[in-house]
Amino acid sequence: MARLPDFEGLAIFAKVVELRSFAGAASELSLSRATVSKAVTRLEQRLGARLFNRTSRRLALTDAGQKLSEHAARLLADGEAAENEALAQSVAPRGLVRLAVPMTFGVKAVASILPAFLAQFPDVAIDLHLSDAMVDLIGEGFDLGLRIASLPDSSLIARRLCAMPRYTVAAPAYLKRHGKPTHPMHLAQHRCLGYAYLSTPDIWHYTNSKGEQASVRPAGPLRVNNGEALMPALLAGLGIADLPEFIVADAVASGEIEVILKDWKQTEGALHLVMPPGGPRPARVEVLADFLARHFGKAKKRSS
């Protein structure tokens, strides 16, 4: 197997050449003189050539050292430039952030606030990925995501931003034709509209203030993988649905649909900011995470 070049030895050698001094190189690199000397000796042994002619008063490059010095100096300069660029990006918000967000929440609540963020941080770009599916942040290379759920244990770092209530709803026309259920178990006799990406998509679990629990397996004419896609069927009176507040709030306020089973609630999810483990994170990721946390934390406080 081919060995990697001795980058450290080459960089130390370039610094010795630049300063024409082992002691000077050691001081600038915050290394001991012995460490600098060993690095150059190691490089000489690897290359099979002497790089310096050393006397007590003078340090001179050999022919081999002269030929190598230009390449080593270029390597050192490129390394310092790469490190400085990476450092600048980690300190100053700059570069691309990949953000994964549920589809409808992204369109309704996230897309509208991004212009303010981009105006505040003009050197940051955002790749916004909208999907209700559970995105593999690590495997698909995302910097952060927003998730609405009761999060299971995972290796991701999660920060709870605010509650996301869900409501069981139906159109008045449906309830007039089929009656209004007063207990979750009554839903088994009703047409229900399903959402594929619930944590338990084929079972709706309810609890009430007394701690009583009920679970029902809904069935009906439509099942979708995006909650907002249920709204036309819901408004047309084709069934009962269980959806988050940000999807149904306007229709409930207008009277187009109404909340039923008010004494019973499904397990309440929450909006979480999730990120892959590890750190420190680039400034561009940190400022977007802080922006989202501030906005949705404050938005929930204003509405409560």
Side-chain angles (χ1 to χ4, degrees), residues 16 20-27 33 36-38 40 52 54 59:
V16 173
R20 284 295 192 271
S21 168
F22 277 72
S27 177
R33 183 167 179 174
V36 171
S37 181
K38 287 178 182 178
V40 173
F52 291 106
R54 311 174 215 185
L59 186 66

Side-chain angles (χ1 to χ4, degrees), residues 19-35:
L19 300 175
R20 284 295 192 271
S21 168
F22 277 72
S27 177
E28 182 156 326
L29 296 173
S30 299
L31 299 171
S32 68
R33 183 167 179 174
T35 299

Side-chain angles (χ1 to χ4, degrees), residues 9-62:
L10 288 165
I12 290 174
F13 166 69
K15 188 60 69 174
V16 173
V17 173
E18 177 187 334
L19 300 175
R20 284 295 192 271
S21 168
F22 277 72
S27 177
E28 182 156 326
L29 296 173
S30 299
L31 299 171
S32 68
R33 183 167 179 174
T35 299
V36 171
S37 181
K38 287 178 182 178
V40 173
T41 299
R42 183 178 70 241
L43 192 59
E44 289 177 327
Q45 291 173 345
R46 179 174 178 135
L47 300 175
R50 194 172 184 85
L51 300 176
F52 291 106
N53 287 319
R54 311 174 215 185
T55 68
S56 58
R57 295 185 177 181
R58 191 165 178 265
L59 186 66
L61 286 167
T62 63

Side-chain angles (χ1 to χ4, degrees), residues 167 169 231 235 245 247-259:
Y167 298 106
V169 293
M231 289 302 295
L235 294 171
E245 181 181 45
I247 292 180
V248 301
D250 290 344
V252 170
S254 68
E256 294 175 283
I257 58 176
E258 62 180 89
V259 178

Side-chain angles (χ1 to χ4, degrees), residues 49 51 74 81 97 104 119 212 217 219 230 232 245 256 269 284 290:
L51 300 176
R74 192 157 53 246
V97 183
T104 301
E212 296 172 333
R217 189 178 295 274
L230 290 179
E245 181 181 45
E256 294 175 283
R284 62 183 181 272
D290 289 344

